Amino acid sequence: MTCLFCQIADGTQPADIVYNDDDVIGFRDINPQAPQHVLFIPRRHVGTINDFDSADAALIGRLTLAAQHYAGEQGFDEEGYRVVMNCNRMAGQTVYHVHLHLLAGRPLHWPPG
Ligand code: AMP
Ligand code: ZN
Protein backbone atom coordinates (compact mmCIF):
# COMPACT_ATOMS: atom_id res chain seq x y z
CA MET A 1 0.00 0.00 0.00
CA THR A 2 1.32 3.43 -0.90
CA CYS A 3 0.59 6.10 1.65
CA LEU A 4 1.85 9.62 0.99
CA PHE A 5 2.40 10.46 4.65
CA CYS A 6 4.16 7.14 5.33
CA GLN A 7 6.49 8.08 2.47
CA ILE A 8 7.11 11.50 4.05
CA ALA A 9 7.77 9.74 7.38
CA ASP A 10 10.29 7.35 5.84
CA GLY A 11 11.96 10.08 3.78
CA THR A 12 11.07 8.78 0.32
CA GLN A 13 8.75 11.75 -0.35
CA PRO A 14 10.06 15.30 0.20
CA ALA A 15 8.51 17.56 2.83
CA ASP A 16 9.46 20.66 4.77
CA ILE A 17 9.94 18.93 8.12
CA VAL A 18 9.86 21.25 11.12
CA TYR A 19 9.46 18.75 13.97
CA ASN A 20 10.88 15.30 14.64
CA ASP A 21 10.79 12.86 17.53
CA ASP A 22 10.73 9.08 17.91
CA ASP A 23 6.99 8.79 17.26
CA VAL A 24 5.87 11.99 15.52
CA ILE A 25 6.99 14.22 12.68
CA GLY A 26 5.70 17.65 11.74
CA PHE A 27 5.92 19.22 8.30
CA ARG A 28 4.49 22.25 6.53
CA ASP A 29 1.19 21.78 4.73
CA ILE A 30 1.69 22.04 0.98
CA ASN A 31 -1.48 24.18 0.68
CA PRO A 32 -1.35 26.36 3.80
CA GLN A 33 -4.62 27.79 5.13
CA ALA A 34 -2.87 30.19 7.54
CA PRO A 35 0.59 31.78 7.81
CA GLN A 36 1.54 28.82 9.98
CA HIS A 37 0.06 25.49 8.90
CA VAL A 38 1.90 22.38 10.05
CA LEU A 39 0.75 18.75 10.01
CA PHE A 40 1.81 16.42 12.83
CA ILE A 41 1.58 12.72 12.06
CA PRO A 42 2.46 9.48 13.81
CA ARG A 43 5.40 7.78 12.10
CA ARG A 44 3.38 4.57 12.20
CA HIS A 45 0.49 4.32 9.77
CA VAL A 46 -2.95 4.93 11.27
CA GLY A 47 -5.69 5.64 8.75
CA THR A 48 -8.22 7.69 10.67
CA ILE A 49 -9.08 8.60 14.25
CA ASN A 50 -11.47 5.63 14.15
CA ASP A 51 -8.47 3.28 13.96
CA PHE A 52 -6.97 4.43 17.26
CA ASP A 53 -7.46 2.26 20.33
CA SER A 54 -6.60 2.65 24.00
CA ALA A 55 -3.03 1.49 23.39
CA ASP A 56 -2.58 4.63 21.27
CA ALA A 57 -3.48 7.06 24.07
CA ALA A 58 0.13 8.16 24.56
CA LEU A 59 0.67 8.57 20.83
CA ILE A 60 -2.45 10.73 20.54
CA GLY A 61 -1.11 12.86 23.38
CA ARG A 62 2.26 13.16 21.71
CA LEU A 63 0.67 14.67 18.61
CA THR A 64 -0.76 17.47 20.75
CA LEU A 65 2.47 17.91 22.71
CA ALA A 66 4.41 18.15 19.46
CA ALA A 67 2.10 20.96 18.32
CA GLN A 68 2.44 22.66 21.70
CA HIS A 69 6.23 22.41 21.49
CA TYR A 70 6.31 23.89 18.00
CA ALA A 71 3.98 26.75 18.98
CA GLY A 72 6.22 27.62 21.92
CA GLU A 73 9.38 27.36 19.88
CA GLN A 74 7.93 29.63 17.20
CA GLY A 75 6.57 32.06 19.79
CA PHE A 76 2.89 32.11 18.85
CA ASP A 77 1.73 30.02 21.81
CA GLU A 78 0.42 33.01 23.79
CA GLU A 79 -1.17 34.68 20.77
CA GLY A 80 -2.99 31.45 20.01
CA TYR A 81 -3.40 28.66 17.54
CA ARG A 82 -5.80 25.92 16.54
CA VAL A 83 -5.33 22.17 16.29
CA VAL A 84 -7.80 20.05 14.37
CA MET A 85 -8.06 16.49 13.08
CA ASN A 86 -10.51 15.69 10.32
CA CYS A 87 -12.04 12.21 10.35
CA ASN A 88 -13.52 10.76 7.16
CA ARG A 89 -15.51 12.25 4.33
CA MET A 90 -17.95 14.58 6.05
CA ALA A 91 -15.13 16.29 7.93
CA GLY A 92 -13.12 16.71 4.75
CA GLN A 93 -10.33 14.19 5.39
CA THR A 94 -8.39 13.79 2.15
CA VAL A 95 -5.23 11.99 3.28
CA TYR A 96 -5.90 8.71 5.08
CA HIS A 97 -2.96 8.77 7.48
CA VAL A 98 -4.06 10.61 10.60
CA HIS A 99 -2.70 14.11 11.01
CA LEU A 100 -3.17 16.95 13.43
CA HIS A 101 -3.38 20.33 11.71
CA LEU A 102 -1.78 23.25 13.55
CA LEU A 103 -2.98 26.63 12.25
CA ALA A 104 -1.80 30.02 13.45
CA GLY A 105 -0.81 33.51 12.41
CA ARG A 106 -4.24 34.96 11.61
CA PRO A 107 -7.60 35.22 13.39
CA LEU A 108 -9.35 31.86 13.07
CA HIS A 109 -13.12 32.05 12.92
CA TRP A 110 -15.63 29.85 14.68
CA PRO A 111 -17.59 27.86 13.75
CA PRO A 112 -15.28 26.53 11.05
CA GLY A 113 -16.72 25.91 7.60
P1 AMP B 1 -7.14 16.64 5.47
O1 AMP B 1 -8.05 17.33 4.47
O2 AMP B 1 -7.49 16.91 6.90
O3 AMP B 1 -6.99 15.16 5.15
O4 AMP B 1 -5.72 17.31 5.27
C1 AMP B 1 -4.76 16.84 4.36
C2 AMP B 1 -3.76 17.95 4.21
O5 AMP B 1 -2.59 17.41 3.63
C3 AMP B 1 -4.23 19.10 3.32
O6 AMP B 1 -4.24 20.31 4.07
C4 AMP B 1 -3.20 19.11 2.18
O7 AMP B 1 -2.89 20.41 1.76
C5 AMP B 1 -2.02 18.41 2.82
N1 AMP B 1 -1.10 17.76 1.92
C6 AMP B 1 -1.41 16.93 0.89
N2 AMP B 1 -0.29 16.50 0.29
C7 AMP B 1 0.75 17.04 0.97
C8 AMP B 1 2.18 16.97 0.84
N3 AMP B 1 2.77 16.23 -0.11
N4 AMP B 1 2.93 17.68 1.71
C9 AMP B 1 2.35 18.42 2.67
N5 AMP B 1 1.02 18.52 2.85
C10 AMP B 1 0.23 17.84 2.01
ZN1 ZN C 1 0.52 6.13 6.17
Side-chain angles (χ1 to χ4, degrees):
M1 186 190 72
T2 311
C3 168
L4 175 64
F5 286 1
C6 281
Q7 291 177 321
I8 288 175
D10 71 19
T12 57
Q13 181 76 25
D16 186 0
I17 293 172
V18 298
Y19 179 88
N20 233 316
D21 69 30
D22 286 348
D23 302 304
V24 174
I25 68 166
F27 53 91
R28 292 195 189 284
D29 196 294
I30 205 168
N31 183 24
Q33 301 301 310
Q36 290 270 10
H37 188 173
V38 173
L39 304 175
F40 294 90
I41 67 167
R43 290 184 176 279
R44 172 169 64 81
H45 183 84
V46 181
T48 81
I49 293 174
N50 292 339
D51 298 313
F52 281 131
D53 63 33
S54 58
D56 297 316
L59 178 61
I60 296 163
R62 285 196 188 101
L63 292 170
T64 302
L65 289 171
Q68 179 211 58
H69 176 88
Y70 180 77
E73 183 185 81
Q74 294 293 307
F76 58 78
D77 51 338
E78 294 302 324
E79 190 173 69
Y81 55 97
R82 180 172 295 167
V83 295
V84 62
M85 296 176 81
N86 297 321
C87 182
N88 278 339
R89 181 177 55 85
M90 286 284 270
Q93 184 172 3
T94 58
V95 177
Y96 282 80
H97 179 133
V98 292
H99 45 281
L100 183 104
H101 294 258
L102 167 62
L103 299 143
R106 67 169 174 82
L108 297 164
H109 304 294
W110 195 264

